[in-house]
Amino acid sequence: IIRIMNIKLILLLIFIPFFAISHEVNIEDKNVEEIVKKRMGNMSKIKAYSTKMHPLTMTGEFHEIKEINEKLLHVAKEFKDLFPEGSQGGKASELIWEDRVTFNLYHDNFIKSIEDIVVSIKDEDSVSLMENFNIMTSNCGTCHKKFKN
């Protein structure tokens, strides 16, 4: 009887970590799906806000541009955190995880250009607003060329 109990105990000790690991993988897979879905949603919002803002940059509607730009800045800042190690998937290139330094630099440039738009809005400077908007969209394109599948 003691021998059988020892065998059961050994088997239990062997299989408990397996069950814990297999459960953790399922949770991790679900989190990866949620992360990919969230970052794709954020990318769609970034595109929508930029598209909505573009014609306004030529009208001098600074109040409306400010509201959109604030939303854009919030979503863009959150975007960088949606690429944790192990969350590969969606339309994101593996290069994001392989060359994190460049990805972070491109993202920081993108954020800086949105923040420069804030300054243009505060100054009500239509010329710098259009310039900064064009820089921001250029930063989008640079990142997409390198990091989007």
Side-chain angles (χ1 to χ4, degrees), residues 34-78:
E34 290 171 4
I35 290 168
V36 169
K37 185 177 178 181
K38 177 74 173 161
R39 75 175 168 235
M40 290 174 73
N42 277 31
M43 182 57 70
S44 293
K45 288 177 185 178
I46 289 168
K47 182 179 179 184
Y49 292 143
S50 299
T51 301
K52 189 173 181 180
M53 193 182 333
H54 180 255
L56 296 172
T57 61
M58 296 173 252
T59 65
E61 298 289 331
F62 292 104
H63 180 72
E64 193 171 347
I65 296 166
K66 179 181 178 184
E67 289 177 7
I68 297 167
N69 198 61
E70 286 172 355
K71 293 174 187 176
L72 175 63
L73 183 59
H74 173 75
V75 172
K77 283 183 176 180
E78 183 181 70

Side-chain angles (χ1 to χ4, degrees), residues 29-144:
D29 288 345
K30 184 177 180 184
N31 286 338
V32 169
E33 282 181 34
E34 290 171 4
I35 290 168
V36 169
K37 185 177 178 181
K38 177 74 173 161
R39 75 175 168 235
M40 290 174 73
N42 277 31
M43 182 57 70
S44 293
K45 288 177 185 178
I46 289 168
K47 182 179 179 184
Y49 292 143
S50 299
T51 301
K52 189 173 181 180
M53 193 182 333
H54 180 255
L56 296 172
T57 61
M58 296 173 252
T59 65
E61 298 289 331
F62 292 104
H63 180 72
E64 193 171 347
I65 296 166
K66 179 181 178 184
E67 289 177 7
I68 297 167
N69 198 61
E70 286 172 355
K71 293 174 187 176
L72 175 63
L73 183 59
H74 173 75
V75 172
K77 283 183 176 180
E78 183 181 70
F79 188 71
K80 186 178 184 179
D81 296 329
L82 296 174
F83 292 89
E85 190 61 43
S87 69
Q88 289 84 335
K91 296 179 181 179
S93 169
E94 290 284 328
L95 192 55
I96 290 171
W97 291 269
E98 295 168 10
D99 188 1
R100 181 62 71 155
V101 171
T102 303
F103 178 75
N104 289 342
L105 175 66
Y106 286 5
H107 185 270
D108 292 345
N109 289 342
F110 179 60
I111 296 299
K112 168 102 173 59
S113 61
I114 297 171
E115 291 170 341
D116 289 344
I117 290 171
V118 171
V119 174
S120 298
I121 293 167
K122 284 180 183 175
D123 295 344
E124 294 191 3
D125 184 342
S126 296
V127 174
S128 74
L129 174 64
M130 290 176 65
E131 289 172 356
N132 288 324
F133 182 84
N134 289 335
I135 291 168
M136 187 262 303
T137 58
S138 176
N139 286 333
C140 286
T142 300
C143 194
H144 274 225

